[in-house]
Amino acid sequence: MTAPNRLARLASLVPGGGSQAARTPFVLLVVVLLGSGLLALLLLNASVNQGSFELSKLKQQTKEHTDEQQALQEEVDAYSAPDALDRRARELGLVPGGAPAFLLPDGTVRGVPEPATPEPGR
């Protein structure tokens, strides 16, 4: 096979003149795919940013609620302290009990029950 024959044979395999028109739909397809990909990426980024702002807001609310819960727990602890309970009980007119008596499982009483009497100084 000679060189001109090979060249003619290769030339017949390459498409002729209308190659510009055949590329246009492909180029448009690539541009549309790239544009839609960029648009999807932009929308995804905006969604992630919105979620980040919501997460930040919820973290702040959680911190505020935790602080409020701790303040309320401190208030409850102050009311349930022994000295505070004693003071409030005396304000209501209660007095400390006397010597305790215990009821055993067999029905016997251990100790001598005494009525509670107010302290003379109070």
Side-chain angles (χ1 to χ4, degrees), residues 9-42:
R9 203 167 131 201
L10 285 174
S12 68
L13 294 175
V14 175
S19 66
Q20 183 65 25
R23 281 191 220 159
T24 304
F26 177 72
V27 170
L28 286 176
L29 177 67
V30 169
V31 168
V32 167
L33 286 175
L34 286 174
S36 62
L38 287 174
L39 183 63
L41 190 61
L42 178 67

mmCIF file of all heavy atoms in Angstrom, residues 9-42:
data_model
loop_
_atom_site.group_PDB
_atom_site.id
_atom_site.type_symbol
_atom_site.label_atom_id
_atom_site.label_comp_id
_atom_site.label_asym_id
_atom_site.label_seq_id
_atom_site.Cartn_x
_atom_site.Cartn_y
_atom_site.Cartn_z
ATOM 1 N N ARG A 9 -7.556 6.804 2.011
ATOM 2 C CA ARG A 9 -8.396 5.942 2.842
ATOM 3 C C ARG A 9 -8.679 6.590 4.200
ATOM 4 O O ARG A 9 -9.805 6.567 4.703
ATOM 5 C CB ARG A 9 -7.683 4.616 3.043
ATOM 6 C CG ARG A 9 -8.617 3.520 3.376
ATOM 7 C CD ARG A 9 -7.901 2.200 3.256
ATOM 8 N NE ARG A 9 -8.196 1.468 4.485
ATOM 9 C CZ ARG A 9 -7.513 0.498 4.968
ATOM 10 N NH1 ARG A 9 -6.437 0.103 4.347
ATOM 11 N NH2 ARG A 9 -7.871 -0.096 6.059
ATOM 12 N N LEU A 10 -7.676 7.213 4.804
ATOM 13 C CA LEU A 10 -7.872 7.912 6.074
ATOM 14 C C LEU A 10 -8.767 9.136 5.908
ATOM 15 O O LEU A 10 -9.578 9.449 6.781
ATOM 16 C CB LEU A 10 -6.527 8.341 6.675
ATOM 17 C CG LEU A 10 -5.684 7.239 7.303
ATOM 18 C CD1 LEU A 10 -4.331 7.797 7.724
ATOM 19 C CD2 LEU A 10 -6.394 6.658 8.503
ATOM 20 N N ALA A 11 -8.649 9.832 4.804
ATOM 21 C CA ALA A 11 -9.474 11.006 4.544
ATOM 22 C C ALA A 11 -10.933 10.620 4.404
ATOM 23 O O ALA A 11 -11.835 11.378 4.774
ATOM 24 C CB ALA A 11 -8.991 11.726 3.300
ATOM 25 N N SER A 12 -11.204 9.439 3.881
ATOM 26 C CA SER A 12 -12.596 9.010 3.737
ATOM 27 C C SER A 12 -13.212 8.677 5.106
ATOM 28 O O SER A 12 -14.433 8.707 5.264
ATOM 29 C CB SER A 12 -12.686 7.793 2.802
ATOM 30 O OG SER A 12 -12.083 6.669 3.419
ATOM 31 N N LEU A 13 -12.412 8.357 6.122
ATOM 32 C CA LEU A 13 -12.930 8.049 7.453
ATOM 33 C C LEU A 13 -13.281 9.308 8.238
ATOM 34 O O LEU A 13 -14.148 9.283 9.106
ATOM 35 C CB LEU A 13 -11.902 7.230 8.249
ATOM 36 C CG LEU A 13 -11.608 5.837 7.714
ATOM 37 C CD1 LEU A 13 -10.493 5.193 8.530
ATOM 38 C CD2 LEU A 13 -12.858 4.978 7.754
ATOM 39 N N VAL A 14 -12.628 10.434 7.974
ATOM 40 C CA VAL A 14 -12.883 11.687 8.686
ATOM 41 C C VAL A 14 -14.136 12.321 8.096
ATOM 42 O O VAL A 14 -14.276 12.420 6.885
ATOM 43 C CB VAL A 14 -11.666 12.634 8.544
ATOM 44 C CG1 VAL A 14 -11.957 13.988 9.175
ATOM 45 C CG2 VAL A 14 -10.441 12.013 9.148
ATOM 46 N N PRO A 15 -15.102 12.746 8.976
ATOM 47 C CA PRO A 15 -16.312 13.355 8.440
ATOM 48 C C PRO A 15 -15.988 14.636 7.695
ATOM 49 O O PRO A 15 -15.078 15.372 8.048
ATOM 50 C CB PRO A 15 -17.179 13.632 9.664
ATOM 51 C CG PRO A 15 -16.330 13.409 10.847
ATOM 52 C CD PRO A 15 -15.098 12.671 10.414
ATOM 53 N N GLY A 16 -16.784 14.930 6.754
ATOM 54 C CA GLY A 16 -16.550 16.068 5.879
ATOM 55 C C GLY A 16 -17.157 17.350 6.413
ATOM 56 O O GLY A 16 -17.639 17.422 7.529
ATOM 57 N N GLY A 17 -17.199 18.354 5.665
ATOM 58 C CA GLY A 17 -17.585 19.725 5.863
ATOM 59 C C GLY A 17 -18.529 20.104 6.984
ATOM 60 O O GLY A 17 -18.370 21.145 7.553
ATOM 61 N N GLY A 18 -19.545 19.348 7.361
ATOM 62 C CA GLY A 18 -20.543 19.770 8.337
ATOM 63 C C GLY A 18 -20.146 19.507 9.776
ATOM 64 O O GLY A 18 -20.993 19.309 10.632
ATOM 65 N N SER A 19 -18.880 19.484 10.094
ATOM 66 C CA SER A 19 -18.441 19.165 11.449
ATOM 67 C C SER A 19 -18.787 20.270 12.437
ATOM 68 O O SER A 19 -19.016 20.018 13.605
ATOM 69 C CB SER A 19 -16.947 18.871 11.474
ATOM 70 O OG SER A 19 -16.229 20.034 11.149
ATOM 71 N N GLN A 20 -18.850 21.526 12.023
ATOM 72 C CA GLN A 20 -19.192 22.641 12.914
ATOM 73 C C GLN A 20 -20.630 22.505 13.400
ATOM 74 O O GLN A 20 -20.913 22.733 14.561
ATOM 75 C CB GLN A 20 -18.988 23.966 12.182
ATOM 76 C CG GLN A 20 -19.250 25.191 13.042
ATOM 77 C CD GLN A 20 -18.256 25.331 14.189
ATOM 78 O OE1 GLN A 20 -17.145 24.838 14.108
ATOM 79 N NE2 GLN A 20 -18.656 25.992 15.243
ATOM 80 N N ALA A 21 -21.533 22.131 12.532
ATOM 81 C CA ALA A 21 -22.937 21.979 12.905
ATOM 82 C C ALA A 21 -23.116 20.799 13.854
ATOM 83 O O ALA A 21 -23.991 20.809 14.712
ATOM 84 C CB ALA A 21 -23.798 21.802 11.659
ATOM 85 N N ALA A 22 -22.310 19.770 13.746
ATOM 86 C CA ALA A 22 -22.432 18.595 14.610
ATOM 87 C C ALA A 22 -21.925 18.900 16.022
ATOM 88 O O ALA A 22 -22.338 18.279 16.981
ATOM 89 C CB ALA A 22 -21.672 17.431 14.015
ATOM 90 N N ARG A 23 -21.017 19.854 16.184
ATOM 91 C CA ARG A 23 -20.482 20.186 17.504
ATOM 92 C C ARG A 23 -21.422 21.078 18.303
ATOM 93 O O ARG A 23 -21.368 21.070 19.523
ATOM 94 C CB ARG A 23 -19.153 20.911 17.354
ATOM 95 C CG ARG A 23 -18.018 20.009 17.066
ATOM 96 C CD ARG A 23 -16.723 20.764 17.189
ATOM 97 N NE ARG A 23 -15.861 20.318 16.102
ATOM 98 C CZ ARG A 23 -14.849 20.981 15.641
ATOM 99 N NH1 ARG A 23 -14.560 22.161 16.136
ATOM 100 N NH2 ARG A 23 -14.113 20.495 14.680
ATOM 101 N N THR A 24 -22.252 21.836 17.694
ATOM 102 C CA THR A 24 -23.099 22.808 18.385
ATOM 103 C C THR A 24 -24.011 22.170 19.435
ATOM 104 O O THR A 24 -24.044 22.636 20.578
ATOM 105 C CB THR A 24 -23.925 23.613 17.369
ATOM 106 O OG1 THR A 24 -23.040 24.208 16.444
ATOM 107 C CG2 THR A 24 -24.741 24.686 18.065
ATOM 108 N N PRO A 25 -24.738 21.108 19.131
ATOM 109 C CA PRO A 25 -25.572 20.508 20.178
ATOM 110 C C PRO A 25 -24.740 19.963 21.347
ATOM 111 O O PRO A 25 -25.140 20.065 22.512
ATOM 112 C CB PRO A 25 -26.305 19.375 19.470
ATOM 113 C CG PRO A 25 -26.232 19.673 18.028
ATOM 114 C CD PRO A 25 -24.987 20.484 17.840
ATOM 115 N N PHE A 26 -23.581 19.422 21.048
ATOM 116 C CA PHE A 26 -22.731 18.894 22.116
ATOM 117 C C PHE A 26 -22.238 20.017 23.026
ATOM 118 O O PHE A 26 -22.257 19.898 24.250
ATOM 119 C CB PHE A 26 -21.548 18.129 21.508
ATOM 120 C CG PHE A 26 -20.592 17.617 22.540
ATOM 121 C CD1 PHE A 26 -20.937 16.559 23.361
ATOM 122 C CD2 PHE A 26 -19.348 18.215 22.705
ATOM 123 C CE1 PHE A 26 -20.057 16.091 24.319
ATOM 124 C CE2 PHE A 26 -18.466 17.758 23.665
ATOM 125 C CZ PHE A 26 -18.823 16.686 24.473
ATOM 126 N N VAL A 27 -21.808 21.105 22.412
ATOM 127 C CA VAL A 27 -21.332 22.250 23.196
ATOM 128 C C VAL A 27 -22.469 22.811 24.042
ATOM 129 O O VAL A 27 -22.290 23.130 25.223
ATOM 130 C CB VAL A 27 -20.730 23.330 22.268
ATOM 131 C CG1 VAL A 27 -20.462 24.622 23.028
ATOM 132 C CG2 VAL A 27 -19.451 22.823 21.625
ATOM 133 N N LEU A 28 -23.668 22.926 23.471
ATOM 134 C CA LEU A 28 -24.820 23.407 24.233
ATOM 135 C C LEU A 28 -25.147 22.470 25.386
ATOM 136 O O LEU A 28 -25.466 22.911 26.492
ATOM 137 C CB LEU A 28 -26.035 23.578 23.316
ATOM 138 C CG LEU A 28 -26.003 24.765 22.373
ATOM 139 C CD1 LEU A 28 -27.219 24.747 21.460
ATOM 140 C CD2 LEU A 28 -25.952 26.056 23.161
ATOM 141 N N LEU A 29 -25.070 21.174 25.142
ATOM 142 C CA LEU A 29 -25.328 20.185 26.200
ATOM 143 C C LEU A 29 -24.326 20.341 27.340
ATOM 144 O O LEU A 29 -24.695 20.348 28.518
ATOM 145 C CB LEU A 29 -25.274 18.771 25.629
ATOM 146 C CG LEU A 29 -25.456 17.648 26.639
ATOM 147 C CD1 LEU A 29 -26.877 17.675 27.200
ATOM 148 C CD2 LEU A 29 -25.137 16.308 26.017
ATOM 149 N N VAL A 30 -23.062 20.512 27.017
ATOM 150 C CA VAL A 30 -22.029 20.675 28.047
ATOM 151 C C VAL A 30 -22.259 21.966 28.827
ATOM 152 O O VAL A 30 -22.164 21.991 30.062
ATOM 153 C CB VAL A 30 -20.619 20.648 27.402
ATOM 154 C CG1 VAL A 30 -19.557 21.084 28.394
ATOM 155 C CG2 VAL A 30 -20.313 19.265 26.872
ATOM 156 N N VAL A 31 -22.597 23.053 28.128
ATOM 157 C CA VAL A 31 -22.839 24.332 28.805
ATOM 158 C C VAL A 31 -24.052 24.232 29.726
ATOM 159 O O VAL A 31 -24.038 24.707 30.864
ATOM 160 C CB VAL A 31 -23.015 25.470 27.765
ATOM 161 C CG1 VAL A 31 -23.551 26.726 28.420
ATOM 162 C CG2 VAL A 31 -21.696 25.746 27.073
ATOM 163 N N VAL A 32 -25.120 23.583 29.262
ATOM 164 C CA VAL A 32 -26.316 23.413 30.085
ATOM 165 C C VAL A 32 -26.015 22.535 31.307
ATOM 166 O O VAL A 32 -26.451 22.841 32.429
ATOM 167 C CB VAL A 32 -27.483 22.820 29.252
ATOM 168 C CG1 VAL A 32 -28.608 22.342 30.131
ATOM 169 C CG2 VAL A 32 -27.984 23.853 28.258
ATOM 170 N N LEU A 33 -25.269 21.465 31.113
ATOM 171 C CA LEU A 33 -24.914 20.603 32.245
ATOM 172 C C LEU A 33 -24.045 21.341 33.266
ATOM 173 O O LEU A 33 -24.272 21.227 34.482
ATOM 174 C CB LEU A 33 -24.192 19.349 31.754
ATOM 175 C CG LEU A 33 -25.060 18.296 31.070
ATOM 176 C CD1 LEU A 33 -24.186 17.174 30.534
ATOM 177 C CD2 LEU A 33 -26.099 17.757 32.028
ATOM 178 N N LEU A 34 -23.069 22.095 32.788
ATOM 179 C CA LEU A 34 -22.231 22.854 33.706
ATOM 180 C C LEU A 34 -23.036 23.931 34.430
ATOM 181 O O LEU A 34 -22.883 24.133 35.639
ATOM 182 C CB LEU A 34 -21.057 23.497 32.958
ATOM 183 C CG LEU A 34 -19.941 22.548 32.531
ATOM 184 C CD1 LEU A 34 -18.921 23.293 31.677
ATOM 185 C CD2 LEU A 34 -19.287 21.920 33.732
ATOM 186 N N GLY A 35 -23.904 24.622 33.714
ATOM 187 C CA GLY A 35 -24.737 25.659 34.343
ATOM 188 C C GLY A 35 -25.680 25.075 35.383
ATOM 189 O O GLY A 35 -25.827 25.620 36.484
ATOM 190 N N SER A 36 -26.321 23.961 35.042
ATOM 191 C CA SER A 36 -27.231 23.350 36.025
ATOM 192 C C SER A 36 -26.464 22.799 37.220
ATOM 193 O O SER A 36 -26.942 22.859 38.359
ATOM 194 C CB SER A 36 -28.076 22.261 35.364
ATOM 195 O OG SER A 36 -27.246 21.221 34.872
ATOM 196 N N GLY A 37 -25.264 22.296 36.986
ATOM 197 C CA GLY A 37 -24.436 21.825 38.101
ATOM 198 C C GLY A 37 -24.041 22.962 39.034
ATOM 199 O O GLY A 37 -24.096 22.831 40.261
ATOM 200 N N LEU A 38 -23.667 24.090 38.466
ATOM 201 C CA LEU A 38 -23.312 25.254 39.279
ATOM 202 C C LEU A 38 -24.525 25.791 40.039
ATOM 203 O O LEU A 38 -24.418 26.182 41.204
ATOM 204 C CB LEU A 38 -22.711 26.354 38.402
ATOM 205 C CG LEU A 38 -21.293 26.093 37.901
ATOM 206 C CD1 LEU A 38 -20.865 27.182 36.926
ATOM 207 C CD2 LEU A 38 -20.324 26.001 39.061
ATOM 208 N N LEU A 39 -25.682 25.803 39.397
ATOM 209 C CA LEU A 39 -26.901 26.251 40.057
ATOM 210 C C LEU A 39 -27.261 25.311 41.218
ATOM 211 O O LEU A 39 -27.612 25.776 42.310
ATOM 212 C CB LEU A 39 -28.052 26.335 39.053
ATOM 213 C CG LEU A 39 -29.374 26.848 39.594
ATOM 214 C CD1 LEU A 39 -29.215 28.286 40.068
ATOM 215 C CD2 LEU A 39 -30.453 26.754 38.539
ATOM 216 N N ALA A 40 -27.153 24.020 40.982
ATOM 217 C CA ALA A 40 -27.429 23.052 42.057
ATOM 218 C C ALA A 40 -26.446 23.234 43.203
ATOM 219 O O ALA A 40 -26.830 23.165 44.379
ATOM 220 C CB ALA A 40 -27.360 21.629 41.507
ATOM 221 N N LEU A 41 -25.194 23.468 42.900
ATOM 222 C CA LEU A 41 -24.189 23.691 43.938
ATOM 223 C C LEU A 41 -24.485 24.959 44.730
ATOM 224 O O LEU A 41 -24.345 24.976 45.962
ATOM 225 C CB LEU A 41 -22.803 23.776 43.293
ATOM 226 C CG LEU A 41 -21.607 23.782 44.226
ATOM 227 C CD1 LEU A 41 -21.566 22.510 45.046
ATOM 228 C CD2 LEU A 41 -20.333 23.939 43.426
ATOM 229 N N LEU A 42 -24.937 26.012 44.045
ATOM 230 C CA LEU A 42 -25.297 27.254 44.721
ATOM 231 C C LEU A 42 -26.482 27.037 45.666
ATOM 232 O O LEU A 42 -26.477 27.505 46.811
ATOM 233 C CB LEU A 42 -25.628 28.331 43.684
ATOM 234 C CG LEU A 42 -26.070 29.680 44.237
ATOM 235 C CD1 LEU A 42 -24.916 30.345 44.964
ATOM 236 C CD2 LEU A 42 -26.586 30.559 43.121
#
